[in-house]
Amino acid sequence: MKRRDFILNTSLLAFAISTNISCIIKREDDVTTTGDNCDNTTKDILGPFYREQAPERTNIREPNDTNRLLHIKGKVILNDCTTPVSNIYIDFWQANDKGEYDNESTQYKYRAKVKTNQKGEYELKTIMPGKYLNGNQFRPSHIHLRIKTDHTKELISQIYFKNDTSIDNDP
């Protein structure tokens, strides 16, 4: 199956080469999207907006965020689809609702390191990221993630959202 077809036919994309991530994204208006599946996918690019040393936290909403709130919950498991990966960090980063990244502030807005618990579970409160121009076309709304452990290959991926009209044209 082509990557683009996979994204269009699933609710979101967040799977690893050596580690799988299962996610449930719940919008505050009670719309729930699941990506609970154990298929592997190709890596995505790190991109120009990654910053090291994001703070450890589970809420990256800003005080003025009121629309399009998201609550992401999931579980990191190995390729056997059952073994949880506990006590590892997932780096998350994304644009704000206007499609802008915080690349310089000490607040690391819309960036976090989230640690999995003993069952491999994690959660993150955030917002739906805005789109931004990439050349002459908009990137689809997406949330970046990076997982690196001593026991698995590094995963760099992006979570995309079903029905986003920019997915078809995203390079």
Side-chain angles (χ1 to χ4, degrees), residues 1 6 9 21 29 37 39 41 44-47 49 52 66 69-70 73 76 92-93 100 104 114 121 146 149:
M1 177 181 292
F6 179 77
N9 292 323
I21 295 183
D29 58 2
N37 139 359
D39 291 336
T41 191
D44 218 321
I45 61 168
L46 183 63
F49 303 121
E52 292 187 11
T66 57
L69 302 176
L70 298 176
K73 290 182 172 184
V76 179
F92 288 97
W93 68 101
E100 303 163 333
E104 298 177 13
V114 177
E121 300 165 332
R146 181 182 191 188
T149 73

Side-chain angles (χ1 to χ4, degrees), residues 54-72 90-97 100-102 107-114 123-129 142-145 159:
E56 184 176 343
R57 57 187 169 188
T58 59
N59 186 346
I60 57 177
R61 295 175 182 163
E62 291 293 303
N64 58 344
D65 289 336
T66 57
N67 294 323
R68 302 178 77 193
L69 302 176
L70 298 176
H71 189 174
I72 301 172
I90 307 169
D91 272 303
F92 288 97
W93 68 101
Q94 69 179 74
N96 64 17
D97 61 348
E100 303 163 333
Y101 284 87
D102 174 14
Q107 289 87 22
Y108 285 82
K109 294 178 182 175
Y110 302 104
R111 297 172 185 275
K113 278 191 189 306
V114 177
E123 64 180 276
L124 178 70
K125 290 183 178 181
T126 187
I127 62 166
M128 178 68 81
H142 61 282
I143 299 173
H144 298 266
L145 61 95
I159 299 170

